[in-house]
Amino acid sequence: MRPKIYLFGDSITEMSFDDGGWGASLVNHFNRTVDVVLRGYSGYNTRWALKVLEKVFPATEESPLAATVFFGANDACVADRCSAFQHVPIDEYKQNLHSIVSFLKGRWPTTQIILISPPPIDEPTRLIYPFTENKSGLPERTNEAAGNYAKANLAVAAECGVLAVDLWTKMQQIPGWQTACLSDGLHLSKIGNKIVFEEVLEALKKKGLSLETLPVDLPVIEEMDPNDPLKSFEGI
């Protein structure tokens, strides 16, 4: 009955239904109008995302209202450090994003696509939370690399004519963003999640998708006639 919004991405998307997560906030916000569908895959980069598109987005699905595409934090891993197996060169990253957008547009021409850039990286904190054994003593991600991939992400959005969220820039406008917006130098704190939630809402509003424009799927109690409540269900 309800239209859908898909959330497609890596661990930052997979964790978005946690307490205070940006996906959970979208569920709560659209709780009578839209089903928010989580498709987050921890550790994935755009190269791996391309391999699973057909499984993630079945051809039998009706066209969703929107889909967020949130990859880049893993692609931007430094090529010669402990998470090198996740690294994707930036030119390939751009091409992979183009391919993902092209796939979604081809399957669902009316769906609004939102590309979300990788967040900034707090390098000292990443040394405390390595994903694998880190013999080099160097962070597996750098903020400079994340920024370059964020710029590439925004460039692809402009080239494809889709919506974009510049998370890398937005978060660094917050004083003390390293600990205010991030929980481990990479993943989001509650404040970081709130920023993503608000930015996605703003992007959707630009395309006319908001609580003010989306219909509620069944009668709401406030509009029922107390003397004849069943009348509200006629014709459903």
Side-chain angles (χ1 to χ4, degrees), residues 50-142:
L50 280 177
K51 298 294 185 181
V52 300
L53 284 175
E54 291 286 351
K55 281 188 171 291
V56 174
F57 302 110
T60 54
E61 284 285 318
E62 292 187 10
S63 178
L65 288 177
T68 61
V69 177
F70 195 172
F71 290 99
N74 298 315
D75 300 68
C77 286
V78 180
D80 61 354
R81 298 186 187 177
C82 64
S83 289
F85 73 102
Q86 293 171 286
H87 171 76
V88 172
I90 197 164
D91 288 341
E92 182 188 344
Y93 171 69
K94 289 185 68 176
Q95 184 54 54
N96 290 344
L97 283 180
H98 270 284
S99 297
I100 292 169
V101 172
S102 178
F103 174 90
L104 293 173
K105 282 188 170 184
R107 179 147 292 182
W108 298 313
T110 62
T111 296
Q112 298 299 330
I113 300 167
I114 305 172
L115 294 187
I116 305 176
S117 85
I121 298 295
D122 179 37
E123 296 167 34
T125 307
R126 287 309 303 152
L127 288 173
I128 303 172
Y129 298 98
F131 177 70
T132 60
E133 184 181 6
N134 185 2
K135 294 181 180 179
S136 72
L138 298 171
E140 85 289 11
R141 294 168 171 83
T142 68

Side-chain angles (χ1 to χ4, degrees), residues 181-229:
C181 297
L182 304 173
S183 63
D184 61 359
L186 167 65
H187 298 98
L188 308 182
S189 66
K190 288 191 176 182
I191 292 174
N193 274 288
K194 186 173 184 288
I195 291 171
V196 178
F197 165 66
E198 291 174 348
E199 291 296 306
V200 170
L201 277 191
E202 186 61 31
L204 292 171
K205 285 181 180 179
K206 289 178 181 178
K207 296 298 182 179
L209 301 176
S210 68
L211 293 181
E212 292 71 32
T213 61
L214 296 169
V216 176
D217 63 353
L218 289 173
V220 294
I221 192 169
E222 294 82 2
E223 297 176 0
M224 292 182 184
D225 182 351
N227 299 313
D228 188 10

Side-chain angles (χ1 to χ4, degrees), residues 153-166:
N153 186 292
L154 297 175
V156 172
E159 291 161 8
C160 295
V162 300
L163 297 161
V165 172
D166 184 2

